[in-house]
Amino acid sequence: MSQTKTAPIDENAKIRDLEPERKDSAGTYLTTDQGIRVDDTDNSLKVSARGPTLLEDFHFREKITRFDHERIPERVVHARGSGAHGYFQVYASLKDLTRARFLQDPSVKTPVFVRFSTVVGSRGSADTVRDVRGFATKFYTEEGNFDLVGNNIPVFFIQDGIKFPDVVHAVKPEPDREIPQASSAHDTFWDFASLVPETTHMLMWILSDRAIPRSFRMMEGFGVHTFRLVNDQGKSRFVKFHWKPLLGVHSLVWDEAQKISGKDPDFHRRDLWDAIEKGAYPEYELCLQIIEEDEADSFDFDLLDPTKIVPEELVPVRRVGKLVLNRNPDNFFAETEQVAFCVQNVVPGIDFTDDPLMQARLFSYLDTQLTRLGGPNFAQIPINRPVARVDNHQTDGFHQHRIPKGRAHYTPNSLGGGCPMVAGPGAGAFTHYPEKLAGVKQRARSESFGDHFSQATLFWKSMSTPEKEHLVKAAVFELGKCESRVIRERMVERFTRVDAAFGQTVAAGLGLTAPAGVGATVKKVAQAVAQKLGTKRTVSESPALSMENTVKNSIRTRRIAVLAEKGVSLAELSAVRNALVAEGAEVHVISSKLGTIEAAEGVHVEVDRASLHVSSVLYDAVFVPGGAASVEAMKKLGDPIHFINEAFRHNKPIGATGEGVELLLASSIKGVTVASAQAAGQTFQAEGVVTVRGASDLTAFIQELVKAIAQHRHWNRAEKEAVPA
Ligand code: HDE
């Protein structure tokens, strides 16, 4: 046998780095998963061009196989969601309240990832359905991840997590027919709700405008449960977490929300993405309600009951820091889909309470990720990875991405030098709050959780008149969709217990009669609970609950439609558009065709959207500039007229200048007489309709229009129901 001659080895050759890389693919070659470069990805390997495909084609097999396995199970609830990166910064040290370091140093920006979601619908369902919105925040702190997994409604349907599968089964599509998608308006949900009185308070919220937010950027977030904050001295206080959006809390109108579900099912996702791309970063303030331990029993409800709020009028919210969302994900699947929030993820200084809903959640979230993300190593997925160093012996299982070193795979060990070693609190360890507990093992509900109505009534009483009207309409809509009359009757009775007038109006809308005299039992239960709790601080109205009292001082990021055709007055269009853009609004010129239109002044104006692609429901306000030819053309078209009518019906601000007023007159909107509108400079009588004719200076008009848009909606328009739209 002849000896083979080997080539000399380059002793200085570098061993390739095995660390995972995160790159975009600009300027690279297409490869297989094994890094082999691919010569053709459009034709499979065949025996002759028209012959059978060969099994040998590993690229073809790999490509198809990977495709076959692209989906992971969607979340069992909150499947539909949108995420964003950002940071959180505390305003001043909260050292007196908590050991959590990210809440102590105002110079630190803690990275966060936030995922907003609906609860009921599947991953591909529409954004603007009536539902609770999830508001989950992962704080990547230097002491480990803290997940604040909240909702935009501060209470929940049930008091004990053992009922969660029941409420979710009831609200999801019915099991035999898989209908309806992403909607609570069906028999099984209301059957359950009507049999479970503890749902009452949450039902009021879900029927309110809170359940149809205008934008993720315009809704509050709540931790729901009472948590604990623990400081360096080991002193514990109870805390409720709130997020308050700087843009205020604003909603859609139900008819509008339903139409958006068809016109743009991605309405909220797009809104979030676009705002961040444009640099209009969504901002929220973290607010705390702090309750001293010895105050915990001072309320007329149990602080551990997740169907109750702590009214802001009793315990003020303290604004302690700001969350800014300033970066869209690079990849939806890798980040928004794979992010795994767990209620159990807290850092030293934040702790749990015995709220039975929270206790169930402490188990559920980690458990669900095991199936959803295919094994126990999901915390190694980049979006879930803490920035704090991770060291432990939990090393095996599906998809281990790290390569642990050494032989000592257990504690205690001497072979690994005793490492990793446990830390004392001085070294930043999490120590559970030493709550003193004693009791009898039993399946039971605390009697202090027994009043299911007082706060539902508080919510009702705190609503403005339009909010009450919306709530009644929502109840009539939802129950009207139920086939069972018995379910409707049970719910009418329930609503009558909340408030007699509420029950009666819902009953009238459903062609039913509300039962009389149910209020007395409710009072008795409330009194019994109050007595048990040994009586207590309460409020009969909470203005903080009404969206009427939200921030209304800005038109930033509002979408405004400008309706125009050939012959539009460029002077009017430009003056108004420039002013609105300067105030931070987004303005689109809408016309019958894309391209440009020639203005009365002879200049060409870019059309941003054709009426075919948009609709009034996608805008916050509408403006019609003058220009006789433009307005004459629009009068003959159904789309602009419909646009105005629908915007009016949905309570949106409407502005018109010059001949633009004629288009409003040609529409069916109310609150104007031809005579009054034709007088120069005369404004419309209807709330939020701003017009001017023949004015050379539009300053006053613009100011009025900006004010009207900042109001968001004009709920008190008379006769809007009569407008066909
Ligand atoms: Fe959740 N919830 N939940 N939930 N929840 C999930 O976890 C659960 C509850 C909330 O964007 C699941 O990762 C139980 C209240 C949000 O990824 C699951 C109970 C609140 C999200 C789960 C509740 C929430 C979830 C499904 C009753 C507001 C989406 C997928 C005890 C404070 C997080 C997942 C994201 C998701 C269980 C009640 C908020 C199954 C058992 C109350 C925002 O683990």
Side-chain angles (χ1 to χ4, degrees):
M1 246 169 58
S2 67
Q3 210 165 342
T4 1
K5 214 176 155 197
T6 51
I9 287 178
D10 176 359
E11 296 293 343
N12 296 322
K14 278 197 194 143
I15 297 178
R16 283 190 192 285
D17 185 2
L18 288 179
E19 280 302 297
E21 285 175 300
R22 191 182 169 136
K23 271 189 184 169
D24 68 31
S25 42
T28 60
Y29 287 109
L30 185 75
T31 73
T32 67
D33 282 346
Q34 305 304 322
I36 320 272
R37 287 185 188 171
V38 171
D39 66 338
D40 179 350
T41 193
D42 298 328
N43 299 292
S44 55
L45 188 68
K46 302 181 194 76
V47 182
S48 86
R50 298 179 62 241
T53 298
L54 290 172
L55 203 56
E56 180 186 329
D57 186 350
F58 56 83
H59 169 54
F60 160 76
R61 277 188 290 113
E62 182 189 84
K63 189 173 174 182
I64 296 289
T65 305
R66 286 301 305 264
F67 170 75
D68 293 346
H69 297 270
E70 272 179 5
R71 296 287 168 270
I72 59 173
E74 66 174 30
R75 288 165 174 83
V76 57
V77 283
H78 295 264
R80 168 86 186 165
S82 307
H85 293 271
Y87 64 86
F88 171 78
Q89 197 169 12
V90 73
Y91 291 145
S93 174
L94 299 176
K95 202 171 179 349
D96 53 326
L97 296 176
T98 176
R99 292 172 56 197
R101 278 196 246 149
F102 82 104
L103 292 173
Q104 292 190 357
D105 188 350
S107 71
V108 168
K109 287 184 175 173
T110 300
V112 300
F113 186 78
V114 173
R115 183 173 178 273
F116 301 108
S117 48
T118 52
V119 176
V120 180
S122 294
R123 209 185 125 178
S125 57
D127 279 341
T128 59
V129 295
R130 177 174 296 284
D131 199 353
V132 195
R133 298 300 184 286
F135 189 142
T137 310
K138 192 180 279 293
F139 297 77
Y140 304 88
T141 88
E142 57 177 306
E143 296 177 292
N145 287 354
F146 167 45
D147 293 355
L148 183 54
V149 198
N151 278 346
N152 78 328
I153 287 180
V155 288
F156 202 60
F157 289 113
I158 48 167
Q159 295 172 320
D160 188 319
I162 198 168
K163 292 173 80 73
F164 191 62
D166 297 310
V167 64
V168 173
H169 287 173
V171 74
K172 283 273 185 179
E174 301 191 7
D176 51 355
R177 58 205 78 177
E178 185 75 359
I179 295 174
Q181 178 56 245
S183 168
S184 51
H186 60 115
D187 286 65
T188 56
F189 176 68
W190 288 101
D191 184 28
F192 175 86
S194 67
L195 295 170
V196 181
E198 73 205 57
T199 58
T200 310
H201 187 195
M202 174 79 162
L203 291 175
M204 300 300 284
W205 284 82
I206 203 83
L207 293 173
S208 80
D209 294 342
R210 300 274 182 156
I212 41 171
R214 157 64 180 85
S215 158
F216 293 138
R217 303 175 294 114
M218 299 172 197
M219 61 183 207
E220 287 179 300
F222 303 93
V224 175
H225 314 282
T226 302
F227 287 76
R228 280 177 193 280
L229 289 182
V230 185
N231 69 11
D232 274 328
Q233 288 73 47
K235 181 168 173 49
S236 156
R237 293 173 175 92
F238 293 114
V239 63
K240 289 275 190 189
F241 291 111
H242 300 239
W243 290 117
K244 295 217 181 257
L246 294 196
L247 290 177
V249 188
H250 302 287
S251 69
L252 300 167
V253 178
W254 180 228
D255 177 62
E256 178 191 18
Q258 291 176 83
K259 288 173 175 167
I260 295 174
S261 290
K263 294 273 179 190
D264 184 5
D266 305 305
F267 186 72
H268 285 150
R269 179 176 289 178
R270 189 187 310 283
D271 169 274
L272 179 68
W273 178 276
D274 287 352
I276 294 174
E277 287 302 296
K278 286 181 189 127
Y281 301 140
E283 294 180 323
Y284 311 79
E285 283 184 306
L286 180 68
C287 307
L288 308 179
Q289 280 180 301
I290 301 290
I291 300 123
E292 298 291 339
E293 292 239 354
D294 57 8
E295 277 183 313
D297 297 330
S298 67
F299 306 103
D300 65 344
F301 55 89
D302 192 324
L303 209 52
L304 297 185
D305 175 354
T307 65
K308 304 294 185 294
I309 56 160
V310 179
E312 292 186 23
E313 292 74 12
L314 284 185
V315 178
V317 290
R318 179 170 155 194
R319 293 169 187 259
V320 299
K322 200 200 259 183
L323 168 72
V324 179
L325 300 180
N326 60 1
R327 183 162 68 83
N328 278 316
D330 288 322
N331 183 275
F332 183 90
F333 180 84
E335 300 180 274
T336 310
E337 194 60 11
Q338 292 201 111
V339 66
F341 293 96
C342 291
V343 178
Q344 66 180 43
N345 293 354
V346 289
V347 291
I350 300 176
D351 214 326
F352 312 117
T353 56
D354 302 326
D355 168 349
L357 195 71
M358 180 189 240
Q359 296 284 318
R361 295 180 75 204
L362 291 176
F363 166 72
S364 175
Y365 287 67
L366 184 138
D367 182 51
T368 204
Q369 314 304 350
L370 298 178
T371 304
R372 201 169 72 78
L373 297 168
N377 287 311
F378 63 85
Q380 296 180 11
I381 296 172
I383 192 68
N384 296 321
R385 234 182 255 161
V387 296
R389 191 186 159 108
V390 175
D391 266 309
N392 58 43
H393 302 306
Q394 290 140 212
T395 50
D396 296 355
F398 283 115
H399 317 307
Q400 169 59 271
H401 283 215
R402 297 187 303 171
I403 304 176
K405 289 184 185 168
R407 295 163 68 193
H409 196 203
Y410 49 85
T411 299
N413 69 66
S414 66
L415 292 179
C419 291
M421 58 196 158
V422 296
F430 184 93
T431 46
H432 291 267
Y433 178 70
E435 184 189 2
K436 202 168 162 193
L437 292 169
V440 177
K441 214 187 269 181
Q442 57 188 315
R443 284 190 189 276
R445 189 75 56 89
S446 169
E447 281 176 44
S448 57
F449 281 33
D451 172 9
H452 305 311
F453 289 92
S454 297
Q455 288 210 346
T457 309
L458 170 69
F459 185 78
W460 170 258
K461 282 196 185 155
S462 307
M463 293 294 103
S464 62
T465 306
E467 284 172 309
K468 283 183 176 159
E469 283 166 12
H470 299 168
L471 223 145
V472 168
K473 272 195 186 163
V476 172
F477 179 93
E478 294 271 315
L479 295 172
K481 289 269 190 172
C482 292
E483 288 161 17
S484 160
R485 185 186 163 101
V486 179
I487 293 173
R488 284 187 217 152
E489 285 171 345
R490 281 202 299 256
M491 278 318 305
V492 163
E493 196 214 22
R494 177 82 63 75
F495 292 147
T496 311
R497 283 172 193 265
V498 172
D499 181 276
F502 174 44
Q504 279 155 13
T505 349
V506 174
L510 292 167
L512 298 173
T513 314
V518 289
T521 0
V522 173
K523 258 202 194 124
K524 253 195 234 155
V525 175
Q527 278 162 359
V529 171
Q531 217 168 2
K532 178 98 196 155
L533 288 164
T535 355
K536 310 284 176 156
R537 292 199 283 162
T538 184
V539 287
S540 57
E541 266 185 49
S542 170
L545 296 178
S546 169
M547 290 165 64
E548 193 76 18
N549 303 321
T550 191
V551 181
K552 291 180 181 170
N553 60 4
S554 153
I555 67 164
R556 264 199 313 134
T557 75
R558 295 313 165 103
R559 285 163 60 97
I560 296 151
V562 176
L563 306 185
E565 290 294 334
K566 185 170 184 231
V568 66
S569 158
L570 181 66
E572 292 172 13
L573 187 154
S574 298
V576 175
R577 175 164 64 180
N578 294 347
L580 296 177
V581 169
E583 294 277 341
E586 184 184 350
V587 179
H588 288 170
V589 174
I590 298 171
S591 195
S592 48
K593 287 196 195 76
L594 279 174
T596 57
I597 45 176
E598 192 183 345
E601 292 87 337
V603 188
H604 279 83
V605 180
E606 191 79 36
V607 173
D608 300 303
R609 301 282 189 279
S611 16
L612 180 66
H613 305 125
V614 290
S615 144
S616 85
V617 295
L618 304 177
Y619 290 88
D620 291 300
V622 50
F623 166 59
V624 189
S630 164
V631 171
E632 277 314 305
M634 287 196 283
K635 275 192 198 167
K636 296 192 188 95
L637 294 169
D639 286 338
I641 301 277
H642 180 69
F643 206 109
I644 305 276
N645 285 344
E646 201 176 39
F648 185 86
R649 181 126 189 208
H650 294 153
N651 311 289
K652 294 178 182 173
I654 298 173
T657 48
E659 294 88 353
V661 179
E662 300 292 335
L663 191 68
L664 307 199
L665 291 170
S667 74
S668 309
I669 73 173
K670 307 290 175 183
V672 61
T673 57
V674 176
S676 72
Q678 278 174 347
Q682 184 83 43
T683 51
F684 267 50
Q685 298 303 303
E687 214 189 87
V689 181
V690 187
T691 57
V692 68
R693 281 154 153 299
S696 54
D697 179 6
L698 293 179
T699 316
F701 167 82
I702 289 168
Q703 271 172 3
E704 278 301 301
L705 184 62
V706 168
K707 243 201 272 164
I709 300 170
Q711 284 298 304
H712 183 61
R713 297 300 169 88
H714 297 269
W715 302 117
N716 295 314
R717 274 184 191 154
E719 296 184 86
K720 60 179 179 250
E721 306 291 326
V723 176

